[in-house]
Amino acid sequence: MMHTDFFVLAQQGFPEPMAAATLAHYLLVSALMFAIGLIGFLTRRNLIVMFLCTELMFQAAGLALIAFSRYHLEYSGQTFVIFVLTVAAAEAAMALALVVLLFKKRESLDADEWTEMKG
Amino acid sequence: MDHLIHPIALYLGLALVGLGLCVALPRAKVSPQLIGAMLAASGVGVILVLMGLNARDALPNLYFYVFSFVALGAALRVVTHPRPVYSAIYFILTILASCGLYLLLSAEFMAFALVIVYAGAILITYLFVIMLATQAPTEERTEGLERYDTAAREPMAATIASMALVAVLTGMLFTGSMELEPRMAGASQDALLAQLPRRVEDAMKDTGAIGFKDRIVDRDGDLQIDVEGRRALVAGPSGERWVDFPADLSPRNVEALGFNLLNAHPGSIEIAGVILLMAMLGAVVLSRRQVEIDEEAKAQQARNLMEGRGAEGQA
C-alpha cells in the first residue's frame, strides 16, 4: 500500500503537518551528509578540499534546520539557514585568503606541510 | 510507533555505508571507488527500505529519494575525487540536489537563495582559488596529481569515528523525534495578512472582487483587514464595503520568511552584517601584497609628482 502523495510535490499539501517518520528520513540524509563531510575533512590533505568538506557539513546542518522548520511549521528554521549561509560565506572568504597566503609561502596545498605548531 | 528501524539493522546498515566510504577514499595505488560507492549506496538503500517498511503511511514522496540519492552520491564524489576542481563541481551538484530537497520541504526562497549564494558565489570563489593555488605544469610533470591529493590520511580511523557519530546521532534522533510533537501543527501564517494590504488588494483585483481603483481602508495606520472573518473593508468610488478574501489567499513563503527575519531576529541581521564586514576586511588584510619601495624610488616618484604639478600650474 503506497501513500497517495508518493508522486506529488510536497508544496501542494503545505500547511498540513509533516509526519514524524518523514522528518526522520530527512534527518537521516542530513546526518549522512554531515558524516561524509566529516570523513572528508579528516582524511583529505588538500587545504581547499578540506574547506569544501566544511561547506558540506554546513549544508547538512541547513538541511536539518529546514526539515525541522517544515515539521514545526515555524519559519525560524529557515531564517537560521540564512545565518548559516552568512557564516559559510564569511568562512569561505577568510579561509581562502589564508590558503592563498600559505600557498605563496610553500608552493603546496598539503596540510601536513604546516606542522610547526605540533608539540 | 516505537522504532522506525531496529537499532541493530540501523547500525549494520551504517557499517556497510562506512565500509563503502572507506573503500572509496583515494589511496596511493588503485582506489576502487565504484565498488565503494556501490557498497555505500546499498547500505543507505537498506536503511531507507527498512524505514519505508515501518513508515508506510508517512513515506516522503518519490522526489525525496531521487534528490537525496544525487546529493549523497555527489557528496561522496566531493570527498573522494583526487582533483580539487572536480570536487568543487560535484559540490555544486550536491547544492542543486539539496535545493530540490528544500523545495520538497516548502522552503522555496531558501532553495533559490542557496543556488545564488552557494553555487553562484561561494563555489566560484573556490574555483578561483583552485586556479590561483595550483602549480603550473613543468616539463617533466605535465599530467600528474599531487601526492597529497591521491593519498588519504587515516581513512579507516576517520570512517570509524564518523560512522560511530552518525550511529549515535541517528539512533537518538529516531527515538527522540518520534516523541517530538510538532509545535504548531496546522497553524497557518494567515495572521500576517493583516500587515500585507497590497497583497490582499492584488489578490482581490486578480479575482475581480474589487475594481482597479479600490483601496483597503486605512484609518490612521489601522488597516481594516479582518483576518479571522477573511474579509477587508474596501473604499472605492461607490463607497466603502466589506469584501471577502479569495479562497486561496495566504502569505507566501518569502513574505512569511521576511516577517520572521525582521520581527523575530532583528539583532541577528546586524550581527550577520558585522560578520560579513569583518570577513571582508580580514580577507583584504590577509591577501594584500606589501610593496617594498626603497628611498631612491620614493624620491624619484616625489620629483615626478612635483614636476607634473608645476607643468599644470604653468598651463
Side-chain angles (χ1 to χ4, degrees), chain B residues 253-295:
Chain B
N253 175 259
V254 185
E255 290 155 354
L257 184 59
F259 269 101
N260 184 279
L261 181 65
L262 291 171
N263 277 341
H265 312 281
S268 313
I269 305 173
E270 306 284 335
I271 296 172
V274 172
I275 288 176
L276 282 176
L277 180 68
M278 285 300 136
M280 191 184 76
L281 281 179
V284 168
V285 169
L286 279 176
S287 56
R288 175 189 53 168
R289 178 176 295 163
Q290 267 154 359
V291 184
E292 299 284 339
I293 305 176
D294 56 356
E295 290 300 316

Side-chain angles (χ1 to χ4, degrees), chain B residues 235-260:
Chain B
S238 56
E240 297 184 351
R241 65 189 194 284
W242 286 95
V243 180
D244 286 337
F245 287 174
D248 57 345
L249 177 65
S250 60
R252 296 193 185 101
N253 175 259
V254 185
E255 290 155 354
L257 184 59
F259 269 101
N260 184 279

